[in-house]
C-alpha cells in the first residue's frame, strides 16, 4: 500500500474517535486491505488500553481532607510560618542586640516572644485541625443536605 | 444549605470558612474533580502532599470562578489547567524531577489473579509503566491526559493551551514512540 504513511498518521486519532467520518472511512477501507496498518492499529490499541489500566494513586485521609477545603489553608499556614519566623528573627536580633549593648527592655522581649509563640501555636493548631478532621471516617460528615 | 466544612472552629484557626448553597450534584462534581485532579497532579509531581496542595489550590480557584465557569462538561479542562499550572509552579520551585509515579512498586490494579493471562498482563503493564515514565514529559503528559484521564482533544488543547491540531500530532508522535519502545512486548504479530 503506497499511502500507508499517510494513513498511519491518522491511526492515533482514529482510535480516539477524533476523525471526521470521511477520514474514518478512509482509514477503515485502507486497513481492511493492509496488514501492516491493521497490526499497527492492534498494537496502538493495546498500548492505549494498557495506559487506561495503570494503577491510580489514592490520597490518604489527611490529603483528602485538605482537598475538601474551599479556602486557602496555605494562607493561614503561611501567616503562621511568617509570624513564627519573624518572631524568631526578632528574638535572634534581640539576642545580638543584647550581646552588643548589654541593655534590655522587658516590653520588647515580651512582644517578640509573643509573636514567636503565637506563630508556632497558629501553625500547630492548623495542623491539628487538619488531623482532627481527617480522623472522621465519614467524608461528608459535615455536609448537611 | 450545605456546610462543606465546619464553621466556627476553623475560623478560630484563621481558616476562613464558607457556607454555600448547593446540592448533591455539586458535591458529587467536586468529589469527582478532587479524585481526578489528585491523580493528575500525582502524575505531574509524584508527591501526594504536593498533589493535594495543587488540587486544593485549583479547587479554590475553580470555586471562586464557578459563576463564570458554570458546570458545563468542559469545565474539567478548566480545572485541570489550573491544577496543572499549580503543579508547574511547584516543579519550578524544586529543581529535581518527578520520580516514578503510577505504579512504583507492586502489580497494577485490576489484575486477573492466579492466572497466566493475568501474570502476562501485569508484566505488560509494568513494562508499559516503565517506558511511559522514561518518556519526555510533554509526550508522557499528553498520553496520560488522553488515555488515562480520558480527555477529549478539545479538552487537552485547553489544559495544555495548545491547538487541537497539535494535540493530534503530538499524540501520534507519543504513541509511535511508545509503540517502538514496546516492541517485543506487543504480541499482536505472534
Ligand atoms: Zn497501510
Amino acid at each position: 500500500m503506497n499511502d500507508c504513511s499517510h494513513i498511519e498518521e491518522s491511526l492515533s486519532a482514529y482510535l480516539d474517535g477524533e476523525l471526521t467520518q470521511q477520514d474514518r472511512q478512509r482509514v477503515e477501507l485502507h486497513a481492511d486491505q493492509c496488514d501492516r496498518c491493521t497490526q499497527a492499529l492492534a498494537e496502538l490499541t493495546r498500548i492505549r488500553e494498557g495506559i487506561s489500566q495503570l494503577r491510580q494513586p489514592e490520597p490518604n485521609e489527611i490529603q483528602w481532607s485538605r482537598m475538601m477545603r474551599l479556602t486557602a489553608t496555605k494562607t493561614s499556614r503561611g501567616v503562621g510560618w511568617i509570624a513564627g519566623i519573624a518572631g524568631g528573627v526578632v528574638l535572634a536580633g534581640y539576642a545580638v542586640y543584647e550581646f552588643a549593648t548589654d541593655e534590655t527592655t522587658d516590653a520588647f522581649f515580651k512582644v517578640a516572644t509573643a509573636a514567636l509563640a503565637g506563630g508556632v501555636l497558629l501553625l500547630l493548631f492548623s495542623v491539628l485541625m487538619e488531623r482532627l478532621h481527617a480522623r472522621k471516617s465519614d467524608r461528608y460528615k459535615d455536609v448537611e443536605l | 444549605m450545605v456546610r462543606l466544612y465546619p464553621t466556627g472552629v476553623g475560623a478560630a484557626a484563621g481558616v476562613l470558612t464558607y457556607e454555600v448553597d448547593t446540592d448533591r450534584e455539586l458535591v458529587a462534581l467536586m468529589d469527582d474533580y478532587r479524585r481526578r485532579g489528585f491523580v493528575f497532579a500525582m502524575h505531574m509531581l509524584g508527591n501526594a502532599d504536593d498533589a493535594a496542595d495543587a488540587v486544593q489550590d485549583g479547587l479554590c480557584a475553580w470555586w471562586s470562578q464557578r459563576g463564570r465557569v458554570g458546570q458545563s462538561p468542559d469545565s474539567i479542562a478548566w480545572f485541570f489547567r489550573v491544577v496543572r499550572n499549580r503543579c508547574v509552579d511547584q516543579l519550578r520551585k524544586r529543581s529535581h524531577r518527578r520520580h516514578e509515579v503510577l505504579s512504583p512498586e507492586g502489580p497494577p490494579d485490576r489484575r486477573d489473579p492466579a492466572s497466566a493471562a493475568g501474570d502476562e498482563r501485569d508484566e505488560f503493564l509494568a513494562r508499559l509503566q516503565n517506558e511511559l515514565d522514561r518518556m519526555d514529559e510533554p509526550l508522557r503528559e499528553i498520553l496520560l491526559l488522553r488515555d488515562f484521564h480520558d480527555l477529549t482533544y478539545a479538552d487537552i488543547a485547553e489544559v495544555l493551551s495548545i491547538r487541537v491540531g497539535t494535540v493530534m500530532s503530538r499524540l501520534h508522535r507519543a504513541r509511535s514512540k511508545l509503540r517502538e519502545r514496546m516492541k517485543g512486548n506487543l504480541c499482536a504479530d505472534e
Side-chain angles (χ1 to χ4, degrees), chain A residues 52-71:
Chain A
S52 75
Q53 288 162 358
L54 292 176
R55 179 181 144 125
Q56 66 180 55
E58 298 268 353
N60 66 27
E61 287 192 351
I62 292 173
Q63 288 149 0
W64 185 271
S65 75
R66 188 180 310 168
M67 292 191 290
M68 288 293 287
R69 299 187 182 193
L70 287 174
T71 48

Side-chain angles (χ1 to χ4, degrees), chain B:
Chain B
M1 177 69 76
V2 169
R3 226 177 289 156
L4 282 171
Y5 199 74
T7 52
V9 246
V15 181
L16 298 172
T17 50
Y18 282 69
E19 287 200 20
V20 288
D21 286 313
T22 185
D23 51 22
R24 274 178 195 281
E25 225 171 81
L26 180 59
V27 171
L29 182 78
M30 293 176 73
D31 208 8
D32 182 53
Y33 276 24
R34 250 175 230 118
R35 200 174 298 281
R36 295 168 72 179
F38 179 79
V39 178
F40 177 50
M42 272 297 282
H43 288 160
M44 289 199 68
L45 299 171
N47 177 289
D49 285 331
D50 291 349
D53 278 344
V55 170
Q56 204 263 336
D57 273 4
L59 215 60
C60 286
W62 177 83
W63 184 254
S64 63
Q65 288 278 314
R66 195 168 62 103
R68 258 168 286 171
V69 176
Q71 291 176 42
S72 57
D74 63 340
S75 59
I76 185 71
W78 191 94
F79 175 64
F80 265 43
R81 189 158 60 88
V82 175
V83 170
R84 182 177 182 273
N85 288 340
R86 298 292 194 278
C87 291
V88 169
D89 286 346
Q90 287 206 30
L91 288 171
R92 280 205 190 106
K93 271 186 236 164
R94 53 165 138 142
S95 49
H96 61 89
R97 230 177 99 85
R98 65 179 164 83
H99 42 84
E100 276 66 45
V101 176
L102 279 174
S103 181
E105 67 225 26
D109 282 350
R110 288 182 252 175
R111 62 185 306 201
D112 190 4
S115 78
D119 287 348
E120 202 175 289
R121 223 171 72 112
D122 286 350
E123 208 174 292
F124 171 75
L125 290 180
R127 176 79 199 281
L128 185 64
Q129 178 68 69
N130 206 304
E131 293 298 344
L132 194 60
D133 283 335
R134 285 163 52 194
M135 290 190 90
D136 289 342
E137 184 56 26
L139 300 185
R140 188 187 77 104
E141 177 179 55
I142 204 165
L143 279 168
L144 288 170
L145 283 172
R146 173 57 225 138
D147 293 341
F148 192 90
H149 297 284
D150 206 28
L151 263 55
T152 63
Y153 284 16
D155 280 348
I156 296 172
E158 190 183 339
V159 173
L160 301 178
S161 304
I162 56 178
R163 288 178 301 112
V164 171
T166 310
V167 173
M168 196 176 289
S169 59
R170 192 180 293 175
L171 262 172
H172 166 68
R173 199 148 38 94
R175 283 178 171 146
S176 300
K177 199 161 197 172
L178 193 51
R179 182 181 162 216
E180 203 174 293
R181 292 187 179 190
M182 289 295 290
K183 278 279 183 210
N185 288 70
L186 295 161
C187 323
D189 54 338
E190 282 163 21

Side-chain angles (χ1 to χ4, degrees), chain A residues 73-143:
Chain A
T73 50
K74 274 203 223 157
T75 308
S76 64
R77 200 171 294 180
V79 169
W81 275 113
I82 290 166
I85 289 167
V89 167
V90 168
L91 277 180
Y94 172 68
V96 169
Y97 172 82
E98 195 177 11
F99 268 123
T101 66
D102 204 22
E103 271 179 7
T104 57
T105 52
D106 245 348
F108 185 60
F109 183 74
K110 276 175 191 164
V111 168
T113 309
L116 176 63
V120 169
L121 280 177
L122 190 63
L123 193 67
L124 286 176
F125 196 45
S126 157
V127 172
L128 191 71
M129 286 298 302
E130 206 160 76
R131 280 171 194 272
L132 274 178
H133 187 62
R135 200 166 288 178
K136 295 172 188 167
S137 54
D138 185 0
R139 205 171 274 162
Y140 288 116
K141 198 173 242 174
D142 304 310
V143 178

